[in-house]
Amino acid sequence: MLSIDFMDETASVDETNLQFVEKVLQHAAETEAIAAAELSVTFVTNDMIRDINNQYRGKNEPTDVISFAMEEMGDGEVEIVGELAPRVLGDIIISLDRTKEQAADYGHSFERELGFLAVHGFLHLLGYDHMNKEDEIKMFSRQEEILSSLGITRNSDERE
């Protein structure tokens, strides 16, 4: 089971959306066979995510979601090994402004886009990426599998 620390820097996320994101991420963790782990999800504005994107990726533009994986090893880092503590996966940062914009652009609900971005960020924490076509196909297929198994599809915003 995931332990999720939610932070809302926009003061606009309601409890229903938090519960939805928690449900989606718990399901994604089960699907990916993640037993016990911790992560954080922070909701921000376009201006906030633009600053983060510029600082860490050198791109001075807003993006929809950024993930910071804690399990990625950097140069000179030593892996911490232990079975008593849950895995600390990292941080997912989601722009609520971009979530709303993209939901409108793609013609589906805010909730569907929010679920998509949460799963996308989660899979990045697990090491999935889309830097080349093969990895992109693998990651996006997995995202759709996870979302579809909850009844969240591009064509239907109905859930089980």
Side-chain angles (χ1 to χ4, degrees), residues 44-99:
V44 298
T45 64
N46 273 352
D47 288 339
M48 292 171 178
I49 209 162
R50 175 189 294 116
D51 291 343
I52 295 165
N53 202 21
N54 191 26
Q55 181 177 356
Y56 291 97
R57 298 179 64 222
K59 296 182 179 185
N60 191 20
E61 60 191 17
T63 189
D64 49 10
V65 61
I66 294 178
S67 297
F68 295 98
M70 295 297 289
E71 293 184 339
E72 289 180 355
M73 298 294 293
D75 290 339
E77 291 184 333
V78 176
E79 183 177 6
I80 298 172
V81 179
E83 295 187 24
L84 297 177
R87 292 171 64 181
V88 178
L89 297 178
D91 307 308
I92 301 170
I93 302 169
I94 298 173
S95 167
L96 292 181
D97 296 333
R98 291 293 295 152
T99 304

Side-chain angles (χ1 to χ4, degrees), residues 129-141:
D129 213 333
H130 45 85
M131 298 300 286
N132 61 52
K133 194 65 174 171
E134 182 181 323
D135 289 344
E136 179 181 334
I137 291 168
K138 182 179 176 184
M139 182 174 184
F140 279 76
S141 294

Side-chain angles (χ1 to χ4, degrees), residues 16-24 111 114-115 152 159:
T16 303
N17 288 328
L18 292 178
Q19 290 172 357
F20 174 71
V21 171
E22 175 143 12
K23 175 184 172 182
V24 169
E111 187 175 71
L114 186 60
I152 304 167
R159 293 187 321 255

